[in-house]
Amino acid sequence: MPITTTVITGATSGIGKETAMALAKKDHAIYLLVRDTERGEALKQEIATATKNRNIYVVHCDLADLESVRNAAGILKSSLLGINVLINNAGGIFDERLESKDGFEMTFAVNHLGHFLLVQSLLPILEKGQARIINISSEAHRMAKPNFNDLQWVKRPYSSWKAYGTAKLFNIYFTRSLALKYGPKGISAFALHPGMVNTGFGAGLTGFGKTLMWLARPFMISAETGALTSVYLASAARIDTKSGKYFKNRHPAGTSAAATNEVGRDRLWELSMELIEPFLA
């Protein structure tokens, strides 16, 4: 049986780490796209020791630096004939408005735009691998009120949770666009809510955000449990007919009304393509 080649962003902790570990146990060849390569190498050794899987590789990729994303995609394209699974797992929430190296609002850059460029840059080998693209979204998408005239949060007061919710809505838009545009080329795409997971997520929050996370902690699930839907979507047979859908607990689930907005979905694609255009050459 051919080895399944899986690429995961943000795999050095939390559900990303548990997803990588679980898929390594299923004999996937795992490419860890990480910002901190020292932590990535440590995880590689941990996975190899735990699973006896030696097909674990580390590639530097900082989603807040589009040049880094382009370089990571170049390494993968020179190393692989095809990718079977791409899990866009990395993400984050920020207590104040920060900017990426390229001048984009950090929540938008890390949760959406970096992954958008990664997919566009990897399209040739995603097509060859008949890939499943899995985007980690969240029920936080329900609080989103996207403003396409101010994607970078410069014209209105910054809200960490609204910015995060908007980025998670964009993950769903992106998923549905991928399913529509690239489904005929053999690519399928899925979005998912992993659950309220007890990880380091939101560790940098202060004030109300910190209090909210503290109140929620007793109800949170483990990272291993939070990874179950990602692992399911990466490994289950015959789910391509559900491409474009949003999953919870390994089953398709409903979304907010805003997530079904085709105008917003298409506008996000158009603006994202404009923003990454300088990095596609």
Side-chain angles (χ1 to χ4, degrees):
M1 181 180 295
I3 293 177
T4 299
T5 299
T6 297
V7 176
I8 309 177
T9 69
T12 53
S13 64
I15 63 172
K17 177 180 178 179
E18 296 297 336
T19 300
M21 186 72 75
L23 293 176
K25 290 177 181 177
K26 294 178 179 289
D27 294 323
H28 287 218
I30 307 291
Y31 285 77
L32 306 168
L33 268 58
V34 299
R35 183 178 56 185
D36 185 334
T37 52
E38 185 174 340
R39 290 181 67 188
E41 291 293 342
L43 176 60
K44 171 183 172 178
Q45 294 304 317
E46 182 180 345
I47 293 173
T49 300
T51 67
K52 311 305 180 186
N53 185 336
R54 298 294 182 253
N55 293 311
I56 313 296
Y57 309 92
V58 175
V59 178
H60 178 258
C61 181
D62 183 351
L63 290 162
D65 177 353
L66 295 184
E67 188 67 32
S68 173
V69 174
R70 179 167 68 175
N71 290 341
I75 291 170
L76 293 172
K77 286 189 288 187
S78 67
S79 305
L80 300 171
L81 293 176
I83 293 172
N84 307 117
V85 179
L86 170 60
I87 304 177
N88 291 322
N89 170 82
I93 185 170
F94 304 94
D95 197 44
E96 59 182 331
R97 186 187 182 278
L98 303 173
E99 289 191 355
S100 71
K101 181 179 178 181
D102 307 294
F104 301 115
E105 189 274 318
M106 190 68 80
T107 316
F108 175 77
V110 171
N111 291 277
H112 170 68
L113 197 62
H115 286 130
F116 189 92
L117 174 60
L118 183 64
V119 170
Q120 295 302 322
S121 300
L122 292 175
L123 271 178
I125 55 175
L126 290 169
E127 289 179 14
K128 287 180 182 177
Q130 301 288 279
R132 294 179 184 178
I133 301 173
I134 299 165
N135 297 315
I136 310 303
S137 181
S138 168
E139 283 291 273
H141 82 271
R142 298 182 185 277
M143 69 178 71
K145 294 182 179 179
N147 182 341
F148 289 102
N149 295 315
D150 188 24
L151 285 177
Q152 308 308 323
W153 290 84
V154 294
K155 301 176 183 177
R156 53 190 162 145
Y158 181 77
S159 164
S160 56
W161 281 105
K162 288 181 181 178
Y164 180 73
T166 299
K168 295 294 102 179
L169 173 66
F170 289 172
N171 294 153
I172 298 175
Y173 283 166
F174 184 35
T175 298
R176 291 182 170 165
S177 291
L178 289 171
L180 288 169
K181 293 177 183 295
Y182 301 126
K185 297 182 179 181
I187 292 174
S188 54
F190 308 89
L192 69 95
H193 169 59
M196 286 286 289
V197 183
N198 190 3
T199 65
F201 176 82
L205 292 175
T206 60
F208 175 73
K210 183 177 181 179
T211 301
L212 187 63
M213 295 299 291
W214 180 79
L215 290 172
R217 199 161 302 282
F219 305 98
M220 291 181 176
I221 60 177
S222 69
E224 185 176 5
T225 300
L228 290 176
T229 301
S230 296
V231 174
Y232 168 75
L233 290 171
S235 57
R238 296 182 295 277
I239 63 168
D240 292 347
T241 56
K242 297 175 182 177
S243 181
K245 294 190 179 297
Y246 173 72
F247 279 70
K248 291 168 58 178
N249 297 319
R250 290 168 283 180
H251 295 284
T255 63
S256 68
T260 65
N261 185 324
E262 295 179 5
V263 174
R265 180 196 69 203
D266 293 344
R267 183 64 175 145
L268 176 67
W269 184 276
E270 175 187 334
L271 290 171
S272 299
M273 287 298 294
E274 290 176 4
L275 293 174
I276 68 165
E277 194 276 334
F279 300 91
L280 288 175

